[in-house]
């Protein structure tokens, strides 16, 4: 349970930073930011794996770079579902995907994966 809370906070921090850095990404208020983090977690858990499997051939051809488009699509889906979260186009979605990915990567380096190294 603690891991889910930490992941939620990291996702919320990444979305907040993306809204501060990336033009075209924004929130109307804090509850929208928090709800977007929850929805993004759900979309990443259920929809993203399906998209990754369906787009596997183009992901291989682009040496994995198409995963940025998949991540941008998941962020765009959350923006479509949530009225208080705005992503203006694919470029803003890719920028938000890069920022949230970097934040998650840095947080993962500090937090670890939860597995003991015995």
């Amino acid at each position: 349970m603690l891991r889910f809370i930490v992941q939620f906070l990291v996702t919320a921090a990444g979305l907040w930073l993306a809204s501060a850095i990336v033009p075209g990404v924004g929130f109307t208020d804090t509850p929208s930011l928090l709800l977007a983090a929850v929805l993004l977690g759900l979309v990443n858990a259920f929809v993203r794996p399906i998209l990754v499997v369906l787009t596997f051939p183009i992901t291989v051809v682009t040496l994995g770079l198409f995963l940025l488009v998949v991540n941008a699509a998941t962020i765009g889906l959350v923006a479509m579902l949530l009225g208080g979260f705005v992503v203006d186009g694919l470029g803003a979605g890719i920028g938000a995907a890069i920022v949230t990915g970097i934040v998650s990567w840095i947080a993962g380096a500090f937090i670890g994966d939860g597995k003991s190294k015995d």
Side-chain angles (χ1 to χ4, degrees):
M1 182 68 175
L2 181 62
R3 183 172 182 193
F4 292 114
I5 293 171
V6 170
Q7 185 63 41
F8 161 74
L9 293 173
V10 168
T11 302
L15 288 174
W16 174 80
L17 188 61
S19 70
I21 293 176
V22 179
V25 177
F27 295 93
T28 57
D29 51 11
T30 303
S32 295
L33 169 65
L34 298 177
L35 188 56
V38 169
L39 284 176
L40 187 59
L42 291 173
V43 168
N44 280 339
F46 296 107
V47 177
R48 187 176 180 273
I50 296 167
L51 290 176
V52 168
V53 169
L54 291 175
T55 61
F56 183 73
I58 195 166
T59 302
V60 170
V61 170
T62 62
L63 302 175
L65 289 177
F66 194 75
L67 286 176
L68 282 174
V69 176
V70 170
N71 291 341
T74 60
I75 290 173
L77 177 63
V78 170
M80 285 181 8
L81 295 173
L82 186 62
F85 177 36
V86 177
V87 177
D88 291 331
L90 183 63
I94 290 175
I98 290 171
V99 171
T100 56
I102 290 172
V103 168
S104 293
W105 177 62
I106 291 171
F110 285 108
I111 297 169
D113 59 1
K115 297 177 184 174
S116 67
K117 296 178 183 173
D118 295 336

